[in-house]
Amino acid sequence: DQNFSHAIPRRVPAEALLDSLVQATAVAESLPNGFRAAQLPDASSENPFLKLFGKPQRMDACECERDNGSNMLQALHFLNGKSILGRVRNPAARPAVLVREKPTDENLVVELYLWSLARHPSPRELAVGAEFVRSAGPQRDQAAQDLMWALLNSRDFLLVH
């Protein structure tokens, strides 16, 4: 921890996490005045996701007000909550849009990685992902949703490292 010898993984702040979910899935969040979460001027807007993930009330001019800790409710919300599951299952969401374009299995996996994690999959990740999509057969859209759900629940998405 001393002298910045290495990066210490930490959770992405609440506002950036919500904005990343919106960007990755292409499903908008209902925020006032069409703002992104990072643009919200104060805590007057009540958003359960932002509250759960530690967005400060901004009563003080100090970043110490932010709660960057992780808890079981956050983990359960990501695994089972509508913030991710509802977004990836939405017919207008990125997985459905990509499947409608009928890309190859490999191209579908690459696109899901790029939109979710902003990186290309490793050769091993690409092979596993393409095999998963291929094994789904006619439920290709379900496989794309499941793959995106898994990527959005990964450490690569949730942590700054």
Side-chain angles (χ1 to χ4, degrees):
D1 295 341
Q2 197 171 26
N3 299 327
F4 303 106
S5 64
H6 60 282
I8 300 171
R10 63 191 192 297
R11 189 174 45 80
V12 174
E15 300 90 338
L17 194 56
L18 183 56
D19 287 340
S20 296
L21 279 173
V22 168
Q23 175 120 16
T25 60
V27 177
E29 182 73 14
S30 59
L31 295 173
N33 300 324
F35 283 136
R36 291 186 351 258
Q39 293 174 317
L40 291 174
D42 58 21
S44 63
S45 65
E46 287 294 318
N47 184 291
F49 182 91
L50 293 175
K51 185 174 183 179
L52 176 64
F53 283 87
K55 180 181 185 297
Q57 292 297 313
R58 296 189 178 158
M59 298 298 184
D60 298 326
C62 175
E63 187 64 19
C64 59
E65 189 180 7
R66 180 177 296 276
D67 178 13
N68 282 328
S70 296
N71 60 49
M72 188 59 73
L73 283 175
Q74 292 170 349
L76 290 173
H77 186 77
F78 250 74
L79 292 173
N80 302 323
K82 65 179 181 173
S83 292
I84 293 185
L85 206 51
R87 286 177 192 282
V88 297
R89 288 185 176 166
N90 188 318
R94 184 105 35 224
V97 170
L98 290 173
V99 168
R100 282 194 295 270
E101 293 174 358
K102 299 184 188 324
T104 65
D105 295 335
E106 288 78 10
N107 286 346
L108 178 62
V109 171
V110 168
E111 284 296 319
L112 289 172
Y113 265 82
L114 288 172
W115 281 107
S116 300
L117 305 180
R119 68 172 176 84
H120 285 275
S122 70
R124 171 100 174 105
E125 291 168 334
L126 181 59
V128 169
E131 178 56 34
F132 176 71
V133 171
R134 203 173 357 271
S135 71
Q139 281 89 24
R140 193 168 193 243
D141 57 337
Q142 189 107 36
Q145 292 170 6
D146 290 347
L147 180 57
M148 182 169 244
W149 176 86
L151 293 172
L152 295 177
N153 274 287
S154 71
R155 292 176 54 134
D156 285 350
F157 184 78
L158 297 171
L159 299 178
V160 176
H161 39 69

